[in-house]
Structures are given as structure tokens and as C-alpha cells.
Amino acid sequence: MRPLARLALLAAIVAAALLLAVRLGAVPLTLRQVVDGVRGAGDPTNVAIVRRLRLPRAVLAAMVGGSLAASGATFQALLRNPLAEPYILGISGGAAVGAVFAIALGGAAASGGIVAAAALAGAVIAIVLVFRIAAVVGRALDTRILLLAGVVVGAFFNACILLALTFADADAFRSAIFWIMGSFSGATWRGISLLAVAMVPALVLLMALARPLNLLSVGEETAAYLGTRVERTKLLAYGTASLLTAGAVAVSGVIGFVGLVVPHVVRMLWGPDHRFLIPASVLLGAAFVVLADTLARTAAAPTELPVGVVTAFVGVPFFVWLLRGRGA
């Protein structure tokens, strides 16, 4: 199958996942009711369910899944580490610190917008700290130092989270834990628009870096010999993928596993070329998170499960099965 045909297949899977997400819920909807709801026609209750609740939630889940998967593919090439994922450089820790402090200090007054803004600020601070530490150690952006700096900054922020939770009351503690495990219950069209402003140019830039990332995954000396501006590529890839992750975490919480495993699944099925790997990871990550969120809000209804728990419970057995299939 040609690469464009594969991407078309993945896009069709994303569309099917979005349709399923809008149809399923406490009030099941038919395909006709979904179409009428999107158009603003038919029963007002169905229109409200589609346009204000399920559609924005499904679209936000797709955007977050695509962002995390693209960031994971980029970090795995940049750090030349198969275990690299979007949170490896302390970004999730920084975002969680911002959100936890906003919830603990703001209490009931801490709206979703305030928590998201605090999480984004925390993530950006983590990105700057990791970069400054790596820059102080050496003039060149050494990926080994970058990785160590991320681990250290992440450990520091995790300690800050535990300290904040120690002094939080029961309600704030519960709210913070649920935010950390990920949810799309607060999805709005405004949040989607803000994430799109960051996501679209970031994905375009990462696609433009696909060939240099191919060369970097082989080795920096080889990449430089073949004409790649290594330091410029590393800086652009690190900054773009980090900011993309920060935006996704700010609107959804910490949803693990997507950025680690989705690029590996695409790589095992169709090869390591980043010109295909990045867009395919975006589409597969989007479909995976939409389906995981649908399962999270319907499997134990009316109780909603954390999305991060579902992605791990569903994705880990599938990934192990895929690995066994390749080893057989």
C-alpha cells in the first residue's frame, strides 16, 4: 500500500472514531441525529448534546492525541532513545505543578481556564529550565545532557507536586489527582481554537524537519556530513515538540502512553521514515485517544474513568501483542 493510501486509511479511521464518539453516550444518537445536530437542525436537546458536549470533546481528544504522538516521534528521533516520550523532559511535571497549585490555592474559584493557563505556564517554565541547564553544561545542545536535565527537572517538579498535595484539603486533593490522570470533560470550542493556533504551525514545522530527523536518527556526524545543520535542527525540534506537548497537557492533563507507543506501532507497521511517520502518528494518535475517551466515559457510566488509565489498559496489551507478533 502506498504512503498516501495508508494516510487516507488512517484519516478514515479517525473520522469513524469521531462519529462513534459523538453517537455513544448516556443518550445514544443515530447517524441522522448526529448529522442534524452538527447542522443545528432537529431536536434542540440533540443539537446541544452534539454541538456543545460530544463534538468538542471528541475533536479536542483527537487534537491532543495527535499532538502527543507527533511529539513522541520527534523526541525519539532527537534523543535517539526508543523510550523517549513527550513527558521525558519534565514537561508533564511542570504542567502538573502549575495545575495542582492553581487547584490547591484557588479551590472552587479555580476554573478550567485558570487551571489550563497555570498548567501551560508550568510546562513552559519546565521547558526553559531544561534548556538552560543543557545550555550551561555545554555550548552545543548535547542530547544526553538534555535527557539528564529533563529527568532532574521532572524529579524536582514531582517533589513540588507531593508537597502541594500534602497541604491540600480533600476536595483539592481529589481534583488535582483527577486532573493529573487526564480528562476532556472541560472541552470547549475556545480551548480547541487556542490549541489549534499552536498545533497547526508546530506540525507543519515538524513535517519540514522530517528529513533532518531521519538523518539525526542515524547519528549527528552522519547528519552533519550530509548537510544537516545539526544544532539548529535539534533546537527547533526540541522547542517545537516541547511547546506542542505543553499545549496538549494544559487542556487535557497528563495522558501517558500515547506519545511513547503510537510512533512505535507506526514504525513497526510501515517503517521509520519521518516523512510518513509523523503524519501517520498524528492520525493514529488522534484515533486512539478519541476511542479511549469514548470508552472512558461509557464503560462504567455514569462514572467517568480517567483517560490515562484507559490508554494504558488498552494500549499496553495491544503493544505487547504486536511485539510478540514481530518476534514470532
Side-chain angles (χ1 to χ4, degrees):
M1 187 181 292
R2 294 179 180 275
L4 283 179
R6 296 170 187 164
L7 292 178
L9 174 63
L10 290 172
I13 293 174
V14 173
L18 288 171
L19 178 60
L20 187 68
V22 177
R23 287 190 62 185
L24 297 182
V27 180
L29 299 176
T30 64
L31 178 60
R32 178 60 182 270
Q33 289 172 322
V34 171
V35 173
D36 287 344
V38 172
R39 292 171 51 238
D43 185 81
T45 302
N46 290 340
V47 173
I49 290 173
V50 172
R51 299 180 70 168
R52 296 181 185 176
L53 297 177
R54 294 184 191 171
L55 188 57
R57 179 169 181 149
V59 171
L60 185 64
M63 294 173 68
V64 168
S67 298
L68 293 178
S71 299
T74 302
F75 283 128
Q76 285 163 16
L78 176 66
L79 301 174
R80 295 196 296 282
N81 186 332
L83 296 179
E85 47 94 21
Y87 306 133
I88 198 168
L89 296 179
I91 300 170
S92 63
V97 165
V100 169
F101 271 91
I103 293 170
L105 296 177
S111 66
I114 293 175
V115 174
L120 181 62
V124 172
I125 290 172
I127 294 169
V128 173
L129 274 178
V130 171
F131 178 73
R132 287 300 303 162
I133 292 172
V136 166
V137 174
R139 292 183 60 186
L141 192 60
D142 190 325
T143 53
R144 294 168 301 179
I145 301 299
L146 195 66
L147 186 60
L148 290 174
V151 172
V152 169
V153 169
F156 173 75
F157 279 129
N158 286 336
C160 294
I161 294 169
L162 294 176
L163 180 64
L165 291 178
T166 301
F167 294 103
D169 59 36
D171 290 338
F173 183 91
R174 179 181 173 83
S175 298
I177 293 297
F178 270 94
W179 185 92
I180 290 173
M181 291 191 292
S183 173
F184 297 105
S185 60
T188 63
W189 290 114
R190 178 180 173 79
I192 290 171
S193 302
L194 292 175
L195 181 59
V197 169
M199 181 181 177
V200 173
L203 290 180
V204 170
L205 184 54
L206 290 182
M207 281 300 302
L209 293 173
R211 184 179 179 278
L213 287 175
N214 280 344
L215 298 175
L216 271 182
S217 63
V218 177
E220 293 185 12
E221 291 185 2
T222 303
Y225 179 76
L226 294 175
T228 299
R229 298 171 66 180
V230 173
E231 295 307 318
R232 176 175 172 270
T233 299
K234 289 193 293 185
L235 185 60
L236 281 175
Y238 164 72
T240 305
S242 297
L243 290 175
L244 190 59
T245 302
V249 175
V251 297
S252 68
V254 182
I255 300 174
F257 188 75
V258 180
L260 172 64
V261 172
V262 168
H264 281 297
V265 171
V266 175
R267 201 177 285 114
M268 283 190 291
L269 292 175
W270 291 310
D273 188 342
H274 287 81
R275 292 173 297 181
F276 175 79
L277 176 63
I278 291 177
S281 296
V282 171
L283 294 172
L284 186 60
F288 178 55
V289 175
V290 170
L291 293 175
D293 181 56
T294 304
L295 187 61
R297 62 182 175 79
T298 57
T303 301
E304 183 176 319
L305 303 175
V307 181
V309 173
V310 177
T311 56
F313 278 176
V314 175
V316 169
F318 174 74
F319 189 60
V320 171
W321 173 78
L322 205 59
L323 284 175
R324 289 191 61 185
R326 285 179 61 85

